[in-house]
Amino acid sequence: MEKKKKLNQPTKSEPESDIWAFLTCRGTKSTFVCISLFALVVRLAVAIHPYSGAATPPKFGDYEAQRHWMEITINLPVKEWYRNSSTNDLSYWGLDYPPLTAYQSYLHGLLLKFFDPSSVSLFTSRGYESYIGKLLMRWTVLSSDLLIFFPAVLYFVTAYYSKKPIGEKSSMAWHIAMVLLNPCLILIDHGHFQYNCISLGLTIAAVAAIFSDRDLVGSVFFSLALNHKQMSAYYAPAFFGYLLGKCLRRRNPAFEISKLGLVVLGTFAIVWLPYLYSADASLEVLSRLAPFERGIYEDYVANFWCTTSILVKWKRLFATQLLKLLSLAATISTFLPSMIQLILLPTKQSFLYGMLNCSFSFYLFSFQGT
């Protein structure tokens, strides 16, 4: 009887005595829910603190930028969102992200208009910083995170660990925690009213779809990510190289490439539909996405050009046109090896490494005037 009692008692090495082991031994959904709840609390804690630019005219910081985009999209026709006019002064927080961001601003603007119309009224709402207005803005960021980023992370870990041996699945909880508790994303989005969670969520969903061998679905998700924030282009060479490499190994490569091309072009066409009625309308939007006139970097961008400007005064010594070509050449030459490797050897693990390498290339050497 005593031996049986000893056998039934949990030892220190058993999961019941280890909180982290308890989490990892539960199912994926249980682990995800536990970590998500804690991640939600952290986001709420950040959101209750002040933000830069508050009550500081004339531009009032990032809060005012996002609020102003809602003001513009709610009150002006879609064709005028990116056009400089007497009702849309592009020098005052003009829209400089792709159309999907504008549509997101419009939807969130409807929410603000319903509960607090003064916060998005044309002209008179500039510098508007009421308590209810800020609360609603915080909610738009949090809801975007919960509806897009969180499910995308669950989709990814499920796809990534689906074919892993049981021994490796203990790392899943760590991976979920590392992504959902990323301090940079939380501070930027929930501290400064940004919506990186949408473009990153769409990118993560695209990677998860590709890991599940749903390449067409992944192409749609990544096309949407590109149309939300142009920084998603950091991962584009990796997606291109991996998908092209896979297509070239199929029975009918031309057909497979055509399918992917049609899906990508179709997604872009739907998003850009209001601006496809003329070349000038499309160029108006494109010119806003690459504001080269700001210079090759801004003071707070810690990339190669900013760091080396201590020794080489790039902005003084070289014209903007030359700097554009120089940064383009440097960016392409550094991500090209990874892209070629993915075309030659398109494995899922190399795809992840390729995304890392390509993003570093863009971060360090691209023309970061935004």
Side-chain angles (χ1 to χ4, degrees):
M1 290 293 291
E2 289 181 4
K3 287 184 179 180
K4 284 185 178 179
K5 286 181 181 179
K6 288 181 181 179
L7 287 173
N8 291 332
Q9 291 175 354
T11 63
K12 290 183 179 180
S13 60
E14 290 179 351
E16 287 80 355
S17 63
D18 186 339
I19 296 175
W20 187 256
F22 172 80
L23 271 179
T24 59
C25 288
R26 305 298 101 183
T28 303
K29 292 179 181 177
S30 301
T31 303
F32 182 80
V33 168
C34 291
I35 297 173
S36 295
L37 289 174
F38 180 68
L40 177 61
V41 171
V42 173
R43 282 160 168 77
L44 292 172
V46 170
I48 63 175
H49 284 77
Y51 56 92
S52 61
T56 308
K59 289 198 171 182
F60 302 96
D62 291 322
Y63 166 81
E64 174 64 9
Q66 300 294 337
R67 188 215 57 76
H68 178 64
W69 293 350
M70 296 177 195
E71 169 198 345
I72 292 300
T73 53
I74 283 291
N75 293 287
L76 298 181
V78 64
K79 294 177 182 178
E80 296 183 21
W81 290 354
Y82 293 89
R83 183 178 299 163
N84 193 53
S85 65
S86 58
T87 53
N88 185 20
D89 181 7
L90 294 181
S91 64
Y92 183 81
W93 293 123
L95 263 168
D96 53 10
Y97 286 112
L100 200 58
T101 289
Y103 304 148
Q104 164 232 310
S105 296
Y106 175 78
L107 291 175
H108 287 157
L110 291 176
L111 177 71
L112 267 69
K113 186 177 181 179
F114 182 81
F115 288 102
D116 188 22
S118 299
S119 64
V120 287
S121 61
L122 195 61
F123 296 127
T124 58
S125 60
R126 292 190 179 186
Y128 185 90
E129 294 181 325
S130 70
Y131 175 78
I132 185 63
K134 287 184 281 189
L135 186 65
L136 289 168
M137 285 283 286
R138 292 294 191 194
W139 170 248
T140 62
V141 179
L142 186 62
S143 61
S144 299
D145 221 345
L146 294 175
L147 292 174
I148 297 177
F149 188 73
F150 278 55
V153 173
L154 176 60
Y155 183 20
F156 172 74
V157 294
T158 303
Y160 182 76
Y161 283 97
S162 61
K163 295 181 181 179
K164 295 280 186 182
I166 295 175
E168 291 188 27
K169 290 190 176 182
S170 59
S171 302
M172 183 182 62
W174 283 110
H175 285 181
I176 295 172
M178 286 170 63
V179 178
L180 291 185
L181 294 170
N182 184 309
C184 298
L185 180 62
I186 294 173
L187 289 173
I188 292 172
D189 276 19
H190 298 274
H192 297 278
F193 302 95
Q194 300 295 303
Y195 298 90
N196 296 291
C197 55
I198 296 177
S199 57
L200 286 174
L202 291 169
T203 302
I204 292 172
V207 176
I210 286 174
F211 264 69
S212 304
D213 294 315
R214 297 173 179 172
D215 296 341
L216 295 179
V217 175
S219 298
V220 171
F221 279 134
F222 187 62
S223 297
L224 292 174
L226 283 169
N227 279 290
H228 186 263
K229 285 203 172 184
Q230 55 267 49
M231 283 180 67
S232 300
Y234 284 23
Y235 310 110
F239 274 88
F240 176 82
Y242 178 76
L243 292 174
L244 178 60
K246 282 188 70 175
C247 289
L248 293 176
R249 281 156 180 76
R250 300 274 174 83
R251 183 174 298 178
N252 192 339
F255 176 69
E256 298 296 333
I257 293 172
S258 298
K259 279 198 307 184
L260 287 173
L262 286 172
V263 166
V264 171
L265 290 174
T267 305
F268 269 78
I270 292 171
V271 175
W272 283 71
L273 191 60
Y275 306 101
L276 296 180
Y277 64 92
S278 73
D280 289 340
S282 299
L283 289 173
E284 279 179 347
V285 181
L286 287 172
S287 65
R288 295 293 303 160
L289 306 186
F292 293 115
E293 71 279 356
R294 298 181 187 176
I296 194 167
Y297 64 87
E298 290 190 279
D299 292 337
Y300 54 80
V301 176
N303 65 357
F304 172 81
W305 311 111
C306 183
T307 305
T308 56
S309 66
I310 299 171
L311 301 174
V312 182
K313 303 303 179 184
W314 300 102
K315 293 182 179 181
R316 294 184 198 168
L317 297 175
F318 304 100
T320 299
Q321 190 63 30
L322 180 59
L323 289 174
K324 284 194 289 184
L325 295 173
L326 188 60
S327 83
L328 178 64
T331 304
I332 292 176
S333 62
T334 49
F335 76 62
L336 198 58
S338 288
M339 191 177 76
I340 293 173
Q341 184 189 27
L342 282 170
I343 295 173
L344 298 175
L345 187 65
T347 65
K348 291 174 181 176
Q349 197 64 35
S350 64
F351 173 51
L352 293 179
Y353 287 126
M355 288 182 66
L356 177 65
N357 292 336
C358 292
S359 63
F360 278 151
S361 297
F362 274 88
Y363 175 73
L364 290 172
F365 300 108
S366 66
F367 199 107
Q368 298 185 27
T370 55

